Amino acid sequence: MSKDNFLDATLQIINVGLESFASDLKAFGTEVIHVDWRPPAKGDPYLNTILKAVESRGEVIDAANKVAIERMLAAHPVFVDVGSALETIPGFTPKTILHAGPPVTWENMCGPMQGAIIGALMHEGRATDEAQAREAAASGEYTFAPCHHYDAVGPMTGVISASMPVIVVEDKNTGRRVYSNFNGEGKGKKALSFGAFGPDVEEIQVWLRDVFAPFLKQVVYALGGIDLKAIMARALQMGDEVHNRHVAATSLLVREIFTAMSMVKVQPNDLVRIGKFLYYNDFVFLNFSMAACKLMTLAAHDVPNSTLLTAISRNGVETGIRVSGLGDRWFTAPAPQIKGLYFPGFTADDANPDIGDSAITETAGVGGFALAAGIGLVKMVGGTAVDAIAYTKEMGEITLARSPMFLIPVLEFEGTPTGVDIRRTVETGISPVINTGIAHRKAGIGMVGAGITRVPMECFAKALSAFADRPARG
Amino acid sequence: MLTKYAVKPQSYQDSVQLMAISSHLMTVPGIELAAAVMGTESNRATLEQGGFVLDGSVKAGPEDIIIALQGRNEAAFAEALQAFDKMVQPRTVISGDGLPKQGPRSMRSALKYLPGANLAVISVPGPYVTGEAFKALYAGLNVMIFSDNVSLEDEVALKRIAEQKDLFVMGPDCGTAIINSTPLCFANVIKRGPIGIVGASGTGIQQTTVLIDRLGSGVSHAIGTGGRDLSDAVEGITMLMGIDALEKDENTKVILLVSKPPGANTYTKVLSRALKSIKPVVVAFLGGHAQEVAEEGVYSAANLEEAAAKSVALATGKDPRSVHFAFSREGLDELVDRELKLLGPEQLYVRGLYSGGTLADEATEILKPMLGEVNSNVLSQPGTINALRSNGHAIIDLGDDEFTKGRPHPMIDPSYRVERLLQESQDATVAVILCDVVLGYGSHPNPAGAVANAVRSFKGNSHRYVAVVASVCGTEGDPQTLSNQEDVLRQAGIVVLPSNACAAEFAGKLAAACCERRIT
């Protein structure tokens, strides 16, 4: 827009401040939009200094963000393979154990994460009981690392050990690969992902490794890949938001699996259990959704000068985020408690703080950002359908784009708000909403509820400060 | 502790809804534990895990809802079951109207709603202005900054970046602009015409555009620069860009510059740019003097009325050098005589109560040569006067910071001026009260009414006559309508003159006559 155009053009005005200026302009017949402005960063003086410093580089950042968000939207995740973590994930060693969230040492891990690692060590044959497992875990012999450091994601504790099977999701365009484990265990006492261990847990882990994973590998080979983006797009129009509701997506996946049945070899008794497992576990698709979202956000990572959010992840103690232009650094804050509903017999006192890599779905513009697609989930916080729509609209305030693929029927098929710009988060004080499960804070009990939480603003404040090459606090 | 199970056959609720229901049932007095689930195998297991023992008597399939309760007595159970029924009853369908209306929360978000935006009008508190303005500039928007309290440093930084991008930053402290006939912030509805204005002051632009309109001509654009643009720190970046733009603009035939006197370097820059202009330029540096180089098409004007008159003369092919006033002063002396007769011998002084800063400034400049000392709080008259209580001849800008802390500007809220009108009327030495009434968008819906009511009230209460003179800065097109507002003033016995310069001159003549009469 040059100044010559300015004098020639019909004015279209953004009004920031006194609302009467906007109403006067409207009365005059000028096209105007009024911004519901509030002091940036709730008036925090230090953050305003940071914002101002970052805004002075606005143009470079805008250009970088454009590149990053285009990459995120262009990524096309396809489920292509199944294999053991050791053989499939580059850099994985027999003593590597991955976990959810930003880095955390064994001593500092929350109860359920320690429980899952105990289960994993027993599964790997490194321990025969809890005491042995604890000793091994504390020995320093094992490499504990975030899944994200290996281009992987896992729900809740996110624990992945060498012999566990993982799914491989590949970008149709670039061939880049990411990984996730299997959601094998439902939500109960037997869920390793929720920190359970013991014979029941081990039985399921063995079955997943020896029966289900090989079966799924045959299926995906027979089909030549399963297009996850297509399934997610359809599921969003069927009441899922693909973080905490997967009824439709799992059903769509099962349909795909069914088309391959004539091409796979499977024992009848195994097939019975596979059938039951797929029928009873609505969350089968969660790990696929997460891997797909990891692929999309990873595609947008490492664009210099970009303020695009590329990971939200929680280890049950801390929530951490990553930003495209800030490399592999994590910006962390204490993990929040989740506002939600509990299964019979449990209360908020039983809840572990927010945990899991699954907020990668929000990072990619689904989950809590697509609550208007999964309206039913808003009941978890006592909300109404209108509230669900409001959550999605609110996320539009901090995102760079609307997904051209993930559409929300109730919003006239508007795309889901995609790609959080950390500048906007700090500026508006609107933090990403996460729609998530709640784990019991003790190892071995499992899922106790589900609810909605927000990423702590402190993560964004730290990241933006780093972006401005300033300390986190003045 | 009792346990109760109920089954709602052939009914379906989403699991999340059922969790919500369960937690609601727990709030029923006397209920210790409650769970409502679809009767699937896995949900039965969940209930068992939660402490319920489902024996064979609870007959429910996956399509039925099981309500499991633990509580004190049957009454509590009954209440809980009632609560359940209430929660599952069908609700009214949400209509589009029920959706919350949310405006965008940030400039960036607004751009998504209005992708063709070409101007941001910013009126947020000073410390936040620069950040918002940067965002607008980087998004390719021109910027008008109404707010003040922006550092000079930031102003220069913003204007330099805007200059590189060929974008305008009007302001900070830019109260008025008219772009392509659109009145922005405090601006009047002005006919379109051949005169393009670049002005450093809001009411300066308002008064000149209004007078141009009244003279039958019109305005192409009025670009505001903000009050500090012509300081040597900013070097007139916006004014120079404005001259460039108006020179190129096909609809502009004459360029009018309105400002307080610029810094020395900036004066030279602006004047030499004006001399290079292919279009004639009228320069009104109020309180100072601009060199007139008529042969190069640069004309100087001493006040806003003269500036308007010269611009219109140039636009209509007349010689501007022969024009000094837009309106005839004929009859002014008779009017002075008429008012003089009504005033007592102790009544000597003029008191100006202004809502427009530049209008106050103009009045002071006009009165000084006529009356000698004029106490004024306007910026071109630095002095330590007590603006709260006037003394001698005084011109008070009620829009000055001193008066607007914690109170709306007098153009929006006339209440302090009303108070002050009454106060001045009680001063036995006051001969004439001088006022401006500023119309247009942004201003009070009936500013003349407030002045008229105050004048009526003191005229009714006092046996002493006090002359009141006002000019209305407005047009017939303004929301308040010029002729209506003038009538309102006249009906209260106020002398209404067509320009602020004219009204100031009248007040000056009257006060001078009072003083002279006393001496002789």
Coordinates of all heavy atoms in Angstrom, one line a residue, chain A residues 185-213:
Chain A
E185 N -4.0 -49.8 25.7 CA -4.5 -50.3 27.0 C -5.8 -49.7 27.5 O -6.2 -49.9 28.6 CB -3.4 -50.1 28.1 CG -2.0 -50.2 27.5 CD -1.4 -48.8 27.1 OE1 -2.2 -48.0 26.5 OE2 -0.3 -48.5 27.3
G186 N -6.4 -48.9 26.7 CA -7.6 -48.3 27.2 C -7.3 -47.3 28.3 O -6.2 -46.7 28.2
K187 N -8.1 -47.1 29.2 CA -7.9 -46.0 30.2 C -7.8 -46.5 31.6 O -7.7 -45.7 32.5 CB -9.1 -45.1 30.1 CG -10.4 -45.7 30.5 CD -11.6 -44.9 30.1 CE -12.9 -45.6 30.4 NZ -14.1 -45.0 30.0
G188 N -7.8 -47.8 31.8 CA -8.0 -48.3 33.2 C -6.7 -48.6 33.9 O -5.6 -48.0 33.6
K189 N -6.7 -49.5 34.8 CA -5.6 -49.9 35.7 C -4.5 -50.5 34.9 O -3.4 -50.6 35.4 CB -6.1 -50.9 36.7 CG -6.8 -50.2 37.9 CD -7.2 -51.3 38.9 CE -7.7 -50.6 40.2 NZ -8.1 -51.6 41.2
K190 N -4.8 -50.9 33.7 CA -3.8 -51.7 33.0 C -3.0 -50.8 32.0 O -2.3 -51.3 31.1 CB -4.4 -52.9 32.2 CG -5.1 -53.9 33.2 CD -5.9 -54.9 32.4 CE -6.7 -55.8 33.3 NZ -7.6 -56.6 32.6
A191 N -3.2 -49.5 32.1 CA -2.6 -48.6 31.1 C -1.2 -48.2 31.5 O -1.0 -47.5 32.4 CB -3.5 -47.4 30.9
L192 N -0.2 -48.7 30.7 CA 1.2 -48.4 31.0 C 1.3 -46.9 30.7 O 2.1 -46.2 31.5 CB 2.1 -49.1 30.0 CG 3.6 -48.8 30.3 CD1 4.3 -50.0 30.9 CD2 4.3 -48.4 29.0
S193 N 0.6 -46.3 29.8 CA 0.8 -44.9 29.5 C 0.4 -44.0 30.7 O 0.8 -42.9 30.8 CB 0.0 -44.5 28.2 OG -1.4 -44.6 28.4
F194 N -0.5 -44.6 31.5 CA -0.9 -43.9 32.7 C -0.1 -44.2 33.9 O -0.4 -43.9 35.0 CB -2.4 -44.1 33.0 CG -3.3 -43.3 32.1 CD1 -3.8 -43.8 30.9 CD2 -3.7 -42.0 32.5 CE1 -4.6 -43.0 30.1 CE2 -4.5 -41.2 31.7 CZ -4.9 -41.7 30.5
G195 N 1.0 -45.0 33.7 CA 1.9 -45.3 34.8 C 1.6 -46.6 35.5 O 2.1 -46.9 36.6
A196 N 0.8 -47.5 34.9 CA 0.5 -48.8 35.5 C 1.7 -49.8 35.1 O 2.3 -49.7 34.1 CB -0.8 -49.3 35.0
F197 N 1.9 -50.7 36.0 CA 2.9 -51.8 35.7 C 2.4 -53.0 36.5 O 1.5 -52.9 37.3 CB 4.3 -51.4 36.1 CG 4.4 -51.0 37.6 CD1 4.7 -52.0 38.5 CD2 4.3 -49.7 38.0 CE1 4.8 -51.6 39.9 CE2 4.4 -49.3 39.3 CZ 4.7 -50.3 40.3
G198 N 3.0 -54.1 36.1 CA 2.6 -55.4 36.8 C 2.2 -56.4 35.7 O 2.3 -56.1 34.5
P199 N 1.8 -57.6 36.2 CA 1.6 -58.7 35.2 C 0.5 -58.3 34.2 O 0.7 -58.7 33.0 CB 1.1 -59.8 36.1 CG 1.6 -59.5 37.5 CD 1.7 -58.0 37.5
D200 N -0.6 -57.7 34.6 CA -1.7 -57.3 33.6 C -1.1 -56.4 32.5 O -1.5 -56.6 31.3 CB -2.8 -56.6 34.3 CG -3.6 -57.6 35.2 OD1 -3.3 -58.8 35.2 OD2 -4.5 -57.1 36.0
V201 N -0.4 -55.4 33.0 CA 0.2 -54.5 32.0 C 1.1 -55.2 31.1 O 1.1 -55.0 29.9 CB 0.9 -53.4 32.8 CG1 1.6 -52.4 31.8 CG2 -0.1 -52.6 33.7
E202 N 1.9 -56.0 31.6 CA 2.9 -56.7 30.8 C 2.2 -57.6 29.8 O 2.7 -57.7 28.7 CB 3.8 -57.5 31.8 CG 4.9 -58.3 31.1 CD 5.9 -57.5 30.2 OE1 5.9 -56.2 30.4 OE2 6.5 -58.1 29.3
E203 N 1.1 -58.2 30.2 CA 0.4 -59.1 29.3 C 0.0 -58.3 28.1 O 0.1 -58.8 26.9 CB -0.8 -59.8 30.0 CG -1.4 -60.9 29.3 CD -2.4 -60.5 28.3 OE1 -3.1 -59.5 28.4 OE2 -2.5 -61.3 27.3
I204 N -0.5 -57.2 28.3 CA -1.0 -56.3 27.2 C 0.2 -55.9 26.3 O 0.1 -55.9 25.1 CB -1.8 -55.1 27.7 CG1 -3.1 -55.6 28.3 CG2 -2.0 -54.1 26.6 CD1 -3.8 -54.5 29.0
Q205 N 1.3 -55.5 27.0 CA 2.5 -55.0 26.2 C 3.0 -56.2 25.3 O 3.3 -55.9 24.2 CB 3.6 -54.6 27.2 CG 3.3 -53.2 27.9 CD 3.1 -52.1 26.9 OE1 3.8 -52.0 26.0 NE2 2.1 -51.3 27.2
V206 N 3.0 -57.4 25.8 CA 3.4 -58.5 25.0 C 2.5 -58.8 23.9 O 2.9 -59.0 22.7 CB 3.6 -59.8 25.9 CG1 3.8 -61.0 25.1 CG2 4.7 -59.6 26.9
W207 N 1.2 -58.7 24.2 CA 0.2 -58.9 23.1 C 0.3 -57.8 22.0 O 0.3 -58.1 20.8 CB -1.2 -58.9 23.7 CG -2.3 -59.1 22.6 CD1 -2.6 -60.3 22.1 CD2 -3.0 -58.1 22.0 NE1 -3.6 -60.1 21.1 CE2 -3.9 -58.7 21.1 CE3 -3.1 -56.7 22.1 CZ2 -4.8 -58.0 20.3 CZ3 -4.0 -56.0 21.3 CH2 -4.9 -56.6 20.4
L208 N 0.5 -56.6 22.4 CA 0.7 -55.5 21.4 C 1.9 -55.8 20.6 O 1.9 -55.7 19.3 CB 0.9 -54.2 22.1 CG -0.3 -53.5 22.7 CD1 0.1 -52.3 23.6 CD2 -1.3 -53.1 21.6
R209 N 3.0 -56.2 21.2 CA 4.3 -56.4 20.5 C 4.2 -57.6 19.6 O 4.6 -57.5 18.4 CB 5.4 -56.6 21.5 CG 6.8 -56.8 20.9 CD 7.8 -57.2 22.0 NE 7.5 -58.5 22.5 CZ 7.9 -59.0 23.7 NH1 8.6 -58.3 24.5 NH2 7.5 -60.2 24.1
D210 N 3.6 -58.7 20.1 CA 3.6 -60.0 19.3 C 2.5 -60.2 18.4 O 2.5 -61.0 17.5 CB 3.8 -61.1 20.3 CG 5.1 -61.1 21.1 OD1 6.0 -60.3 20.7 OD2 5.2 -61.7 22.1
V211 N 1.4 -59.6 18.7 CA 0.2 -59.9 17.9 C -0.3 -58.6 17.2 O -0.4 -58.6 15.9 CB -1.0 -60.5 18.8 CG1 -2.2 -60.7 18.0 CG2 -0.5 -61.7 19.5
F212 N -0.6 -57.6 17.9 CA -1.3 -56.5 17.3 C -0.4 -55.7 16.3 O -0.7 -55.4 15.2 CB -1.9 -55.5 18.3 CG -2.8 -54.5 17.7 CD1 -3.9 -54.8 17.0 CD2 -2.4 -53.1 17.8 CE1 -4.7 -53.9 16.4 CE2 -3.2 -52.2 17.2 CZ -4.4 -52.5 16.5
A213 N 0.9 -55.4 16.8 CA 1.8 -54.7 15.9 C 2.1 -55.4 14.6 O 2.0 -54.8 13.6 CB 3.1 -54.3 16.7

